[in-house]
Amino acid sequence: MIRGKELKDIGTAIKLYYEKLELSNKDIMTLFDIKSDATVARLKKPVLEAITKQDIQRFSSSAINTKVAFEVWGIDIKKLEENYQKLKKLGFI
């Protein structure tokens, strides 16, 4: 996970992962519950480097590939899904 940044919640992360091919600045702000454009830029930088290195096509010049972003940020979607299902089973969701 990104140092010093926590996900807003598991449901939001799962929804964005499966709903968006690319994450906009607004999506990133929602994912981490942040307000600063500078923080968004800092989070996007290593993802943009990975996208360039992997030669992945971008549909929007201001958005980043969702799958690559989660990988770079260390967000394990399978683990999130398991945790989400466990929370549902236990009645917390």
Side-chain angles (χ1 to χ4, degrees):
M1 192 70 71
I2 301 171
R3 187 176 56 121
K5 292 289 161 225
E6 288 187 28
L7 297 173
K8 179 177 180 179
D9 63 70
I10 294 173
T12 299
I14 294 170
K15 182 178 184 218
L16 285 172
Y17 185 84
Y18 288 111
E19 186 176 73
K20 305 278 188 162
L21 294 176
E22 292 187 327
L23 298 172
S24 67
N25 289 356
K26 182 180 174 189
D27 296 328
I28 297 167
M29 288 178 165
T30 300
L31 182 64
F32 294 106
D33 196 26
I34 55 177
K35 310 276 187 266
S36 167
D37 290 330
T39 302
V40 170
R42 182 177 58 82
L43 292 171
K44 284 173 64 174
K45 186 177 179 180
V47 178
L48 289 169
E49 290 170 0
I51 288 169
T52 301
K53 190 174 188 176
Q54 296 176 34
D55 197 30
I56 295 174
Q57 180 181 354
R58 294 169 59 199
F59 301 106
S60 170
S61 61
S62 62
I64 54 174
N65 181 282
T66 303
K67 184 177 179 194
V68 174
F70 273 56
E71 289 171 3
V72 168
W73 294 335
I75 302 171
D76 183 345
I77 192 65
K78 296 297 180 198
K79 184 66 176 165
L80 290 181
E81 290 170 344
E82 290 172 13
N83 291 350
Y84 188 80
Q85 290 305 318
K86 185 68 169 187
L87 288 169
K88 277 179 68 175
K89 184 178 178 181
L90 295 171
F92 293 112
I93 295 178

